[in-house]
């Protein structure tokens, strides 16, 4: 018998959906409060590492994700002029039977997860969020933004890096900028691009791209962070940065024409100290930890949170602090290691250190995430 009969998940993104699916399949009554009016996503594409794909396989949605995305097993390193310097086999952190990584358009991933949420029997409440939470000791009374109320055994804050739930339960940890900003553009995939290629040097810290489908990909350029309000003409700025790169970037640059397909964000980090719960309200995903994409582990860590919490809730017969402590034992140090390593890599690019051991750091995190959490 599950430790919970009713659960409210605030936030219907990757973490919230991945938690709702196994709980609802097991007979738990699950509501998702999603502040957006429908299934919408920001950004252009996302790269999912093998340990993320492992969770998606466990959820039973891997075949749909694979069909919607673009898998690959290596990483290329190029010079700014486009010359291929090396092609490196990537680690299969998801284990046998899965590729090293997969690129996918965010709306495609959201649609797959939303379909699985519906099929599992969870209910999504669009256009509403939680405005007040009252923990009575054996339940949580929720006041929603539309004026209605509900009572649940457990409330899960999966509402992202700027989580409202985090503030509602008195946790004041806030995102911290790392000093970098990233330009992403959703664009056509040149036929020769069949994996992620990275360029270090030129006018940006990093230039790269990731295929996301038969004819789509996203490309990105990482520079020093600029004030968000001073971004200006997105097309002109991204094209100007892209002028410093050749090879496949010659074709990519010509397709940078539509500002609606360009997304600019800062690299930020966040780590909430343990425990991530206050009574019967718990944080998961980016609400509890977030990292710059230097290791491409953000989505994977969100998915792992959901998988571990679902496993613990469905195996226990009561909800108490021992369950949340078990959750922390399996998640906090792992997430902390990923966040700190991701930030360290960004810092080494901003301020190069002569003793920076990039391969060693990446290798340690790769070995860590290859093990199940």
């Amino acid at each position: 018998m599950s430790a919970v009969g009713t659960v409210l998940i605030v936030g219907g993104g990757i973490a919230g959906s991945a938690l709702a699916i196994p709980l609802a399949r097991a007979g738990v009554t699950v509501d998702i409060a999603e502040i957006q009016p429908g299934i919408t996503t920001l950004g252009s594409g996302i790269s999912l590492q093998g340990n993320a794909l492992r969770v998606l396989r466990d959820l039973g949605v891997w075949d749909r994700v694979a069909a919607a995305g673009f898998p690959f097993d290596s990483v290329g390193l190029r010079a700014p002029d486009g010359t291929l310097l090396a092609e490196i086999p990537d680690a299969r952190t998801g284990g046998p039977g899965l590729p090293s990584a997969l690129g996918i358009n965010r709306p495609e991933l959201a649609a797959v997860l939303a379909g699985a949420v519906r099929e599992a029997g969870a209910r999504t409440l669009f256009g509403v969020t939680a405005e007040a939470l009252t923990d009575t000791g054996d339940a949580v009374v929720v006041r929603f933004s539309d004026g209605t109320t509900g009572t649940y055994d457990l409330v899960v804050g999966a509402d992202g890096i700027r989580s409202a739930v985090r503030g509602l339960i008195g946790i004041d940890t806030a995102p911290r900028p790392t000093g970098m900003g990233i330009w992403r553009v959703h664009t056509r995939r040149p036929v020769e691009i069949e994996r992620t290629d990275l360029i270090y040097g030129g006018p940006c810290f990093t230039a790269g791209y990731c295929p996301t489908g038969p004819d789509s990909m996203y490309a990105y350029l990482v520079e020093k962070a600029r004030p968000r309000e001073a971004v200006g003409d997105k097309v002109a700025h991204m094209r100007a940065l892209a002028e410093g790169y050749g090879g496949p970037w010659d074709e990519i640059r010509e397709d940078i024409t539509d500002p609606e397909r360009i997304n600019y964000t800062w690299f930020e980090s966040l780590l909430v100290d343990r425990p991530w719960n206050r009574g019967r309200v718990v944080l998961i995903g980016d609400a509890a930890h977030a990292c710059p994409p230097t290791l491409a582990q953000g989505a994977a860590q969100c998915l792992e949170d959901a998988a571990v919490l679902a496993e613990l809730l469905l195996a226990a017969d009561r909800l108490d602090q021992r369950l949340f402590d078990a959750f922390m034992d399996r998640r906090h140090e792992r997430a902390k290691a990923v966040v700190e390593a991701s930030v360290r890599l960004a810092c080494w690019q901003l301020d190069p250190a002569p003793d920076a051991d990039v391969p060693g750091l990446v290798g340690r995190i790769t070995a860590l995430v290859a093990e199940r959490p």
Side-chain angles (χ1 to χ4, degrees):
M1 183 177 179
S2 171
V4 290
T6 56
V7 173
L8 172 68
I9 300 170
V10 183
I14 291 174
S17 297
L19 176 62
I21 293 164
L23 292 183
R25 283 177 181 160
V28 177
T29 298
V30 179
D31 286 346
I32 301 174
E34 171 50 57
I35 195 169
Q36 298 296 328
I39 300 298
T40 59
T41 55
L42 298 175
S44 52
I46 187 170
S47 178
L48 300 173
Q49 299 300 301
N51 57 315
L53 306 182
R54 178 171 60 207
V55 178
L56 294 170
R57 183 178 61 189
D58 292 346
L59 286 173
V61 300
W62 163 241
D63 288 345
R64 280 181 272 183
V65 170
F70 195 103
F72 49 93
D73 292 305
S74 64
V75 175
L77 297 178
R78 291 183 180 269
D81 66 3
T83 301
L84 181 63
L85 303 175
E87 181 178 357
I88 305 167
D90 205 359
R92 291 177 177 261
T93 55
L98 289 170
S100 298
L102 174 134
I104 188 169
N105 293 325
R106 287 181 179 269
E108 298 276 358
L109 177 60
V112 169
L113 291 173
V117 166
R118 289 192 302 271
E119 292 163 9
R123 180 177 65 152
T124 301
L125 311 171
F126 288 110
V128 298
T129 190
E131 284 194 339
L133 305 170
T134 302
D135 191 331
T136 66
D138 56 3
V140 182
V141 180
V142 182
R143 188 181 76 239
F144 292 103
S145 55
D146 63 358
T148 61
T149 61
T151 301
Y152 299 88
D153 295 331
L154 173 70
V155 172
V156 180
D159 51 341
I161 191 170
R162 286 168 180 79
S163 168
V165 173
R166 193 169 62 234
L168 290 176
I169 60 175
I171 296 176
D172 60 5
T173 308
R176 299 177 59 183
T178 65
M180 288 177 165
I182 183 168
W183 296 86
R184 295 182 179 93
V185 62
H186 180 257
T187 184
R188 294 178 291 107
R189 181 178 71 87
V191 66
E192 70 270 21
I193 293 178
E194 295 185 330
R195 60 163 188 260
T196 284
D197 282 348
L198 298 171
I199 300 170
Y200 296 101
C204 296
F205 295 111
T206 312
Y209 43 74
C210 176
T212 57
D215 56 5
S216 67
M217 70 173 207
Y218 70 97
Y220 52 91
L221 298 161
V222 180
E223 62 167 358
K224 279 191 175 181
R226 59 185 56 240
R228 292 185 178 97
E229 64 274 11
V231 167
D233 186 332
K234 294 191 290 185
V235 169
H237 187 77
M238 191 168 187
R239 285 178 67 98
L241 289 176
E243 286 288 348
Y245 301 100
W249 274 95
D250 291 334
E251 189 171 341
I252 294 168
R253 187 168 52 249
E254 293 305 309
D255 202 36
I256 302 175
T257 58
D258 182 358
E260 295 301 315
R261 291 191 284 122
I262 298 173
N263 172 250
Y264 176 78
T265 56
W266 285 358
F267 281 7
E268 295 179 294
S269 68
L270 173 97
L271 181 65
V272 174
D273 290 336
R274 64 178 296 170
W276 295 343
N277 76 297
R278 298 294 183 270
R280 288 174 170 260
V281 184
V282 64
L283 305 174
I284 66 170
D286 286 349
H289 52 81
C291 54
T294 47
L295 284 166
Q297 273 292 311
Q301 294 307 301
C302 291
L303 287 164
E304 288 186 356
D305 281 357
V308 172
L309 184 57
E311 177 191 327
L312 292 170
L313 289 170
L314 295 175
D317 58 6
R318 62 181 298 171
L319 183 65
D320 56 23
Q321 191 58 42
R322 287 176 297 178
L323 186 147
F324 294 118
D325 289 344
F327 180 52
M328 286 295 86
D329 289 343
R330 291 174 60 180
R331 292 302 304 143
H332 185 266
E333 288 303 312
R334 184 177 173 106
K336 180 181 179 182
V338 170
V339 170
E340 290 180 345
S342 299
V343 172
R344 178 65 59 85
L345 288 172
C347 290
W348 280 342
Q349 287 188 282
L350 279 165
D351 186 16
D355 59 345
D357 182 12
V358 174
L361 181 62
V362 173
R364 288 192 293 275
I365 297 301
T366 297
L368 174 69
V369 301
E371 298 293 328
R372 282 188 175 269

